[in-house]
Amino acid sequence: MFKIYYKMALCYLSLHSDGKFLTRVEFCENKEQDENCALLDLARKELDLYFAHKLKKFSVPVLMQGTAFELKVYKALRELPYGKIVTYKEIAEKIKHPKAFRAVGNANAKNQIPIFIPCHRVVSNHKIGGYSGGVDLKRFLLKNEGVDLK
């Protein structure tokens, strides 16, 4: 297993890989020692481009893990365009489970590869919704993509 740390504006990202896939991304407050591989170099480069507004879609291969329902949600999230937000209900409808908007929220909360699987682009009908890295980080990521939610 490999792990590197990526410094972003509000925190560090801990990027994990098995050498073939990005397997996990965690928000953390400090950096430990890197154990790098070529795939994580690519992830770091793509994050640099993403935060510089020069990359709209990640190409790093990710290992999506979860139930069959969660995998449908993650696949739908990966299809969301840069700078576009949708509601939990819209994702539920897209994956043909129109009443499962709460389950979509639960799947987002379990997303092990945030940013690369862009669950930050999903909001509730009346507010921004939750985020594993906190609402301030969700607002930061959306603002980086040109979406300014109050």
Side-chain angles (χ1 to χ4, degrees):
M1 293 301 274
F2 303 95
K3 175 171 63 172
I4 64 168
Y5 293 86
Y6 181 86
K7 175 70 173 137
M8 55 181 284
L10 300 178
C11 64
Y12 282 95
L13 296 176
S14 171
L15 307 173
H16 301 254
S17 171
D18 62 5
K20 294 182 181 182
F21 297 96
L22 190 61
T23 56
R24 195 168 72 242
V25 174
E26 297 174 322
F27 303 104
C28 53
E29 299 210 7
N30 48 12
K31 177 181 176 179
E32 297 173 13
Q33 185 171 340
D34 289 341
E35 296 175 35
N36 206 0
C37 67
L39 186 124
L40 291 177
D41 278 337
L42 174 60
R44 179 184 284 144
K45 180 180 178 183
E46 287 195 352
L47 283 168
D48 285 342
L49 293 169
Y50 168 78
F51 286 115
H53 312 286
K54 295 179 181 176
L55 180 76
K56 308 267 191 240
K57 188 170 177 83
F58 293 101
S59 68
V60 173
V62 299
L63 181 62
M64 293 191 288
Q65 301 175 71
T67 65
F69 178 84
E70 290 165 351
L71 293 175
K72 285 181 188 178
V73 171
Y74 302 149
K75 183 175 184 267
L77 294 177
R78 297 234 23 206
E79 295 170 1
L80 288 177
Y82 177 96
K84 177 166 173 44
I85 58 172
V86 297
T87 64
Y88 298 103
K89 183 178 181 181
E90 288 172 315
I91 293 293
E93 290 169 348
K94 180 175 177 66
I95 63 169
K96 310 287 190 239
H97 294 273
K99 296 182 190 254
F101 49 90
R102 285 195 177 113
V104 168
N106 288 334
N108 281 6
K110 292 179 182 178
N111 178 10
Q112 293 186 38
I113 311 174
I115 303 175
F116 294 88
I117 298 177
C119 57
H120 62 278
R121 296 178 186 154
V122 185
V123 298
S124 75
N125 283 334
H126 305 291
K127 56 184 179 177
I128 191 166
Y131 192 63
S132 61
V135 174
D136 289 339
L137 186 54
K138 184 173 185 173
R139 277 193 181 95
F140 170 80
L141 292 169
L142 289 172
K143 191 169 185 178
N144 182 72
E145 294 185 18
V147 177
D148 196 7
L149 294 177
K150 303 294 178 208

